[in-house]
Amino acid sequence: MIDSMTHRKLSKTAQRPSPTRPPHGATNATWRMLSVSALMLAMASTATWASDVKNQQTQAAADIANNTDTCYVEGVSDRLNCGFVTVPENPNKPDGKQFQVHYVVLPAVKNVNHEEALLAIAGGPGQSAIDNAAGFDAMLSKVRQQRDILLIDQRGTGRSNLLTCDEGAQSPLSFDDDNADTKAETQKCLAKIDADVTQYGSLNAIKDFEAVRQHLGYKKLHVYGISYGTRMAQLYMRLYPAHLATVTLDGIVPMQQSVLEIGASIDRGFDLLFKDCQETAACHAQFPELKAEFDQVAASLAKAPVMENVYDPVTGEKTMLTMTRGKFYGSIRMALYQANVRALVPHAIHQAAKHNFQPILGLYSLTIDNAGMAMGMHASVVCGEDMHRITPAMREQAQHSFMGKTMLEGLEATCEVWKVPAVDDSFSEPISSDIPTLLLSGEIDPATPPSWGELAMEKLTNAKHFVAPYATHGVAYQSCANNLIADLVRSGSVKDLDGECLKKDVRRSFYLNASSVEPLDANIKKTTADDKASTGAKE
């Protein structure tokens, strides 16, 4: 789930420092708790920047003139083009505070069209596109054969004036998130941020993206947005349609939808998990009471958290675990985002019902860094673009969902401190466009269900919406949809796109124990048979 490849490094004198990332256990735990509201595709890795020493002198003049340099990022072996544009924090105060919006270009293998690139927009809100370069590069490998891939760290993320907080050294494992004072912790964070947090919403960020396009000289962009990135892609369609060739929306957040309605989507994801296990013979045989076991653990943790000494799944050190209901729900929720991790969940729930939280702890460790999210930027977006859209009916619905209620209460406390003005009502209008647009939804997506894709289609007159029956969040990473994107970019049309290949059954078998998708007794029998065969023993 989290790319752990070793950083690519050149000599120490050649390294360009990247913004400091908080070490494991040092990020403010309340902000980590708030990440339950995020539309995350958790594939983050940390990029390491390095100038190309060999060509530094010969390229110096061009680099200065073009405000670009070369760099390496983690997980991508090629030397890339990197740089930044300087923008005003407040576009209405062009002479005020300025900061740099950083970008990376993955050059096309055979660049037959220098005037076009594909802009890949990360999710969150709050993820760094550059930190996810390896994932984008792999998924868009066919596109990159003939088009540059452009990655931009959106304002408030990554290297573009990162909005995050580093508060103390309390371990997230021991922190009691169910009883956190969200408002007080948010106030502490805001006091340490040197930024006007009201200026880090999506509308200003789109202006930054357009500034990067102009700086690099691309006449047309193909846009791929994932999760919250689909909102950014739709805004680009609305504000700068003349500069877009095609658009792909993957894990769709329609403009009409407040992200805070995700609570119902999460509950749907849990229900689909229980249903899948019940309808899978081996899983049902091993975990016949999975939903009841889940409810049992949740009810027990609602009364009091479990506190015990465990081995930290990241550092291996002995530490205190405070397993709360929030951590239990949150760990499972994030595990549902990827098919290979989702396959581990029934076993983890079953073990938790037997008072063994080590498997759940393993799942929780995958969420400890918020998938690389900048929670300050996340708050700026959600508080300005989503909170005011909460209706009485939505509020009532949230009261019947633990995740929905927790997210709403946490973000209301945060937004009371963040004080970001609400966007105009026109922000929520559906996108009306004839740009060739491909929409991708995963049937078992626990965040952005297929119904959200249908809502986004309302006024798209040149679009196709495909639902992948076995995909979770991020269809292009799990199926043939990456080929469909390449076909769209190549042809510039959705007319001949065929989603039949998405029906291929790519499901992962549920793990029935800690190490196998087969029952333990089956493994024992298999081992015994293998031993007999190897020794020549007879029945």
Side-chain angles (χ1 to χ4, degrees), residues 158-314:
R159 296 139 198 84
S160 300
N161 209 34
L162 180 68
L163 298 190
T164 192
C165 286
D166 185 355
E167 296 260 352
Q170 183 177 14
S171 167
L173 300 183
S174 62
F175 182 74
D176 184 356
D177 52 287
D178 279 356
N179 294 296
D181 188 340
T182 302
K183 186 175 179 179
E185 295 296 338
T186 303
Q187 288 171 330
K188 291 179 185 178
C189 178
L190 182 60
K192 292 190 175 186
I193 288 181
D194 181 19
D196 178 356
V197 297
T198 67
Q199 299 300 315
Y200 288 79
S202 302
L203 290 170
N204 283 349
I206 281 295
K207 296 176 183 176
D208 299 339
F209 284 13
E210 178 61 9
V212 172
R213 183 198 65 79
Q214 293 178 17
H215 167 71
L216 292 172
Y218 295 118
K219 291 186 178 180
K220 290 279 189 177
L221 293 177
H222 301 266
V223 176
Y224 168 84
I226 183 166
S227 197
Y228 160 75
T230 64
R231 173 180 289 182
M232 291 293 291
Q234 290 169 87
L235 287 175
Y236 219 139
M237 296 171 75
R238 171 182 289 165
L239 299 175
Y240 304 103
H243 300 305
L244 301 189
T246 69
V247 175
T248 300
L249 307 176
D250 189 353
I252 305 142
V253 183
M255 298 305 298
Q256 307 96 300
Q257 194 89 44
S258 168
V259 296
L260 292 179
E261 292 193 69
I262 194 177
S265 300
I266 295 170
D267 291 341
R268 174 182 178 275
F270 277 63
D271 290 341
L272 286 173
L273 172 77
F274 299 136
K275 179 175 179 288
D276 285 353
C277 183
Q278 184 178 26
E279 294 178 354
T280 303
C283 188
H284 180 61
Q286 191 75 11
F287 313 115
E289 304 295 332
L290 184 63
K291 178 62 165 63
E293 290 180 332
F294 172 84
D295 291 339
Q296 169 196 326
V297 175
S300 176
L301 293 176
K303 296 177 182 178
V306 170
M307 301 181 68
E308 59 184 33
N309 285 316
V310 297
Y311 288 101
D312 189 304
V314 176

Side-chain angles (χ1 to χ4, degrees), residues 53-253:
V53 178
K54 182 177 180 181
N55 295 319
Q56 188 172 26
Q57 292 181 343
T58 58
Q59 293 295 320
D63 288 344
I64 293 172
N66 296 317
N67 195 24
T68 60
D69 201 349
T70 55
C71 58
Y72 288 101
V73 298
E74 183 182 354
V76 181
S77 59
D78 304 321
R79 185 173 63 224
L80 310 177
N81 300 323
C82 57
F84 60 85
V85 296
T86 301
V87 300
E89 182 177 60
N90 185 340
N92 295 322
K93 297 179 180 179
D95 298 327
K97 178 181 176 180
Q98 311 281 308
F99 68 89
Q100 297 171 349
V101 172
H102 285 263
Y103 64 83
V104 159
V105 176
L106 285 64
V109 175
K110 298 177 182 178
N111 198 339
V112 297
N113 192 335
H114 297 277
E115 297 182 344
E116 292 186 2
L118 184 143
L119 169 63
I121 308 177
Q127 281 192 310
S128 158
I130 295 173
D131 285 349
N132 284 294
F136 283 129
D137 185 39
M139 189 270 288
L140 296 168
S141 60
K142 289 190 176 181
V143 175
R144 194 184 166 197
Q145 291 299 308
Q146 297 185 333
R147 297 291 192 285
D148 292 347
I149 306 299
L150 172 61
L151 307 177
I152 303 172
D153 271 353
Q154 187 169 333
R155 60 167 56 201
T157 74
R159 296 139 198 84
S160 300
N161 209 34
L162 180 68
L163 298 190
T164 192
C165 286
D166 185 355
E167 296 260 352
Q170 183 177 14
S171 167
L173 300 183
S174 62
F175 182 74
D176 184 356
D177 52 287
D178 279 356
N179 294 296
D181 188 340
T182 302
K183 186 175 179 179
E185 295 296 338
T186 303
Q187 288 171 330
K188 291 179 185 178
C189 178
L190 182 60
K192 292 190 175 186
I193 288 181
D194 181 19
D196 178 356
V197 297
T198 67
Q199 299 300 315
Y200 288 79
S202 302
L203 290 170
N204 283 349
I206 281 295
K207 296 176 183 176
D208 299 339
F209 284 13
E210 178 61 9
V212 172
R213 183 198 65 79
Q214 293 178 17
H215 167 71
L216 292 172
Y218 295 118
K219 291 186 178 180
K220 290 279 189 177
L221 293 177
H222 301 266
V223 176
Y224 168 84
I226 183 166
S227 197
Y228 160 75
T230 64
R231 173 180 289 182
M232 291 293 291
Q234 290 169 87
L235 287 175
Y236 219 139
M237 296 171 75
R238 171 182 289 165
L239 299 175
Y240 304 103
H243 300 305
L244 301 189
T246 69
V247 175
T248 300
L249 307 176
D250 189 353
I252 305 142
V253 183

Side-chain angles (χ1 to χ4, degrees), residues 282-439:
C283 188
H284 180 61
Q286 191 75 11
F287 313 115
E289 304 295 332
L290 184 63
K291 178 62 165 63
E293 290 180 332
F294 172 84
D295 291 339
Q296 169 196 326
V297 175
S300 176
L301 293 176
K303 296 177 182 178
V306 170
M307 301 181 68
E308 59 184 33
N309 285 316
V310 297
Y311 288 101
D312 189 304
V314 176
T315 67
E317 298 176 356
K318 199 79 171 179
T319 188
M320 174 60 69
L321 168 67
T322 302
M323 178 54 67
T324 62
R325 181 168 52 159
K327 287 177 185 172
F328 178 65
Y329 269 86
S331 301
I332 295 172
R333 177 250 172 138
M334 291 309 302
L336 299 182
Y337 272 62
Q338 290 185 288
N340 57 338
V341 185
R342 185 179 187 265
L344 299 166
V345 173
H347 170 69
I349 293 173
H350 180 65
Q351 290 299 308
K354 297 168 65 176
H355 307 290
N356 172 20
F357 286 96
Q358 198 68 42
I360 287 289
L361 181 58
L363 298 180
Y364 179 66
S365 69
L366 301 175
T367 72
I368 280 178
D369 76 338
N370 286 339
M373 290 220 313
M375 293 306 297
M377 178 273 197
H378 180 82
S380 293
V381 169
V382 175
C383 294
E385 300 171 14
D386 297 280
M387 282 301 300
H388 68 287
R389 294 199 253 175
I390 300 299
T391 64
M394 291 165 58
R395 197 175 295 278
E396 172 63 23
Q397 183 185 46
Q399 298 308 308
H400 301 286
S401 164
F402 172 76
M403 293 296 288
K405 184 173 183 290
T406 299
M407 288 188 294
L408 182 57
E409 291 177 350
L411 283 167
E412 281 185 323
T414 297
C415 294
E416 186 177 341
V417 174
W418 228 242
K419 299 186 184 303
V420 178
V423 295
D424 187 87
D425 288 345
S426 61
F427 182 91
S428 305
E429 294 176 357
I431 300 300
S432 178
S433 174
D434 63 356
I435 298 171
T437 304
L438 170 63
L439 296 90

